[in-house]
Amino acid sequence: MSDSISTQLGNIKHIILVLSGKGGVGKSSISTQLSLCLAKKGHKVGILDIDLTGPSIPRMFGLENRQVHQASSGWVPVFTDESQNLCCMSIGFLLQKKDDSVVWRGPKKNAMIKQFLSDVCWGELDYLIIDTPPGTSDEHISVVEYLKDANPDGAILVTTPQAVALADVRKELNFCKKVNLPILGVIENMSGFICPHCEECTNLFSTGGGEAMAHEFGVEFLGRVPIDPSLTLIVENQDSSPDKDLIKKYSASNLFKVLSNITDKIIEKVSLKNT
Amino acid sequence: MAVIDKPENAPEHCPGPSTEQAGKASACEGCPNQKICATAPKGPDPALQFIKERMNSVKHKILVLSGKGGVGKSTFTAQLGFAFASEESVQVGVMDIDVCGPSIPKIMGLDGEQVHQSLSGWSPVYVQDNLGVMSIGFMLSDPDEAVVWRGPKKNGIIKQFLKDVDWGDLDFMLVDTPPGTSDEHLSIAQYLKESEIDGAIIITTPQEVALQDVRKEIDFCRKVKIPILGVVENMSGFICPNCKGESIIFAPTTGGAKKMAEDLNIKYLGSIPLDPRIGKACDMGISFLDEYPDSPACKAYLDIISEIKKQFTD
């Protein structure tokens, strides 16, 4: 079994997990934005969504009604663009109706994750970004276990600045330490909102907590991402918008500059590891 | 047990994995699960009887659910708890079954508290005389410790929360849950089946990325036959404290929770605006409703809470 995982993941240069102990802090949104930035910089990127009971990746890329195809070498991931630089895999592509709930206990979830790793033919990729559900349970233990031989580069932890979220993210940091998963850094999401009427910045969920935590744990702080409703609009209006090129639309937004910086830091960090 | 009687991909004449015949019937021949079924303990879980006895003294059991994380399940549960308990004669219990990311201790101002053992079981931690709380957060030696548990261990602790905690006589038990539709949710539904859940309150935020997960949760409730008391839309709109201008943070591009509730024919309880003071109150572990009674968010909370109360006084 693990042989087939190494075969399928053999041509992937870097594997990065996006984790958070807390839900709704923007794991999928950060995964999406990182992928878009990496693709914009000319890399080939794959995204694997292992949030089985609440997959968000199909919606983020406007791929909700797409299906996975079977080829002789395995499942073909869904490509987002014609240049075939960005592809995704999610349980969302395997459901008959999109509102169907996936009511699965641990063992079934683990089997699905194993299948995603051993049966999807990613081909040659520069980066594989793995988007995860919140917590430190079955999905997380399994993915780390199955990826052991593939030698993942590490994890990016996403948090929001308030203490209630940080409390859970600290647990996730300790999880990474327990399972010996290197931590590439911490991103503080939803940090401040600039009122479009008066330009006053309000810290909806406080600010600075992520950075303080990163220092405390001795891990790198990758940056602060503000709340920007325009991202939701870009994502949600994909169906109606005539321009289907998400990479182009995203790179015109204000968030692109912020994430582009963070992406550069990550690229630098993982390239160091290989030399 | 009856939640899943028979696996969907079982052989045609599968006797059901929890029956006497499991693993022994002729239909089991060649089934990959035969060995597991034949050796697994038979009959209903003996703990269910204890849970039923314990839960006899709890009048109403309400779950707070959402398919999506970080939409405010714990915040809502805590505020609902504070609001119910503001009447001295009403006994309230809050049970936090988010095993990997418990937020209730912090939000209710009980950080660092410990659970005590007595003859009648574990004692909940009390915020005030009529508001008891139980969470795995009270059992960790270090608050940052990761609870790296797979499903069966999580189910075990949930069972213990129901069976071994000395809740006493309660008017309301509020159950705060983790996001998703997996072990924790199946277990609580299964363990409380005999003692009947009054219903679930579904929390969501307005954007479609959240709603699509919440629809799954509603589908789950229907599958396991938990009645839905209603849907609350949290974080809808933000009023700038500086200029009072309103902004939409999480755009309801598909009509928000209200439209979803109409489409799925469930009750819409109301919406709560984003207010940075809610987050601050949670970080400090104080009741937002007591602290900022004049804020629009507080009014929204109270309206929703009275809607919920109404369902229990009829």
Side-chain angles (χ1 to χ4, degrees), chain B residues 236-255:
Chain B
S236 53
F238 164 67
I239 293 154
C240 174
N242 186 41
C243 70
K244 309 285 174 228
E246 196 176 343
S247 312
I248 303 293
I249 308 274
F250 303 109
T253 48
T254 52

Side-chain angles (χ1 to χ4, degrees), chain A residues 101 104 109 136-137 174 236, chain B residues 144 147 149 154 182 219 253:
Chain A
S101 56
W104 289 357
K109 293 193 287 191
T136 51
S137 190
N174 278 323
E236 303 241 322
Chain B
D144 295 345
V147 181
W149 287 0
K154 293 192 285 190
S182 190
D219 183 51
T253 48

Side-chain angles (χ1 to χ4, degrees), chain A:
Chain A
M1 215 19 133
S2 63
D3 278 353
S4 53
I5 293 181
S6 345
T7 323
Q8 295 287 20
L9 303 182
N11 294 322
I12 299 174
K13 289 197 192 117
H14 301 289
I15 299 177
I16 297 172
L17 288 103
V18 178
L19 296 173
S20 173
K22 182 82 190 147
V25 294
K27 285 178 295 302
S28 301
S29 136
I30 295 286
S31 302
T32 306
Q33 297 184 66
L34 279 180
S35 312
L36 291 171
C37 287
L38 285 166
K40 172 82 183 167
K41 292 175 198 286
H43 297 285
K44 272 196 81 132
V45 187
I47 307 173
L48 173 60
D49 180 5
I50 61 164
D51 189 344
L52 304 176
T53 57
S56 303
I57 290 294
R59 176 87 195 169
M60 297 302 283
F61 285 94
L63 301 170
E64 272 183 297
N65 297 314
R66 300 281 285 274
Q67 297 276 321
V68 167
H69 296 283
Q70 181 91 41
S72 54
S73 49
W75 287 343
V76 184
V78 176
F79 284 92
T80 61
D81 56 342
E82 273 150 26
S83 55
Q84 306 227 322
N85 276 332
L86 191 53
C87 58
C88 326
M89 178 52 79
S90 164
I91 196 166
F93 301 135
L94 305 173
L95 301 177
Q96 280 180 340
K97 280 210 329 267
K98 75 178 172 79
D99 295 345
D100 279 350
S101 56
V102 176
V103 188
W104 289 357
R105 290 191 184 267
K108 223 168 155 182
K109 293 193 287 191
N110 302 335
M112 188 77 234
I113 292 171
K114 193 176 223 175
Q115 232 179 333
F116 275 155
L117 293 171
S118 61
D119 290 2
V120 178
C121 47
W122 295 101
E124 275 193 33
L125 287 183
D126 294 309
Y127 290 90
L128 177 66
I129 309 284
I130 303 183
D131 185 25
T132 62
T136 51
S137 190
D138 285 288
E139 293 92 335
H140 313 83
I141 308 174
S142 298
V143 77
V144 170
E145 202 173 281
Y146 298 147
L147 282 177
K148 218 157 105 199
D149 294 333
N151 207 6
D153 291 74
I156 295 167
L157 278 100
V158 183
T159 185
T160 48
Q162 76 274 37
V164 173
L166 287 166
D168 290 350
V169 179
R170 288 160 169 275
K171 289 179 194 290
E172 200 76 30
L173 271 165
N174 278 323
F175 166 80
C176 293
K177 290 195 173 156
K178 264 191 192 171
V179 299
N180 290 324
L181 183 66
I183 296 163
L184 297 173
V186 174
I187 297 177
E188 183 177 291
N189 195 20
M190 307 196 195
S191 176
F193 169 69
I194 294 158
C195 174
H197 309 292
C198 67
E199 314 253 299
E200 168 97 356
C201 180
T202 308
N203 294 318
L204 283 178
F205 303 106
S206 150
T207 189
E211 188 166 10
M213 180 188 69
H215 286 310
E216 190 193 323
F217 279 81
V219 296
E220 185 169 345
F221 181 67
L222 294 167
R224 202 169 278 144
V225 182
I227 296 177
D228 188 340
S230 70
L231 177 70
T232 318
L233 291 176
I234 294 177
V235 164
E236 303 241 322
N237 294 337
Q238 288 180 86
D239 298 341
S240 50
S241 147
D243 188 3
K244 297 285 176 214
D245 191 347
L246 189 60
I247 300 178
K248 199 170 121 205
K249 272 189 286 182
Y250 176 68
S251 52
S253 78
N254 285 332
L255 280 174
F256 174 71
K257 290 176 213 117
V258 181
L259 262 295
S260 179
N261 260 328
I262 293 177
T263 310
D264 287 338
K265 284 190 195 168
I266 296 169
I267 295 175
E268 199 191 316
K269 213 152 181 186
V270 295
S271 63
L272 276 177
K273 187 199 149 205
N274 278 16
T275 49

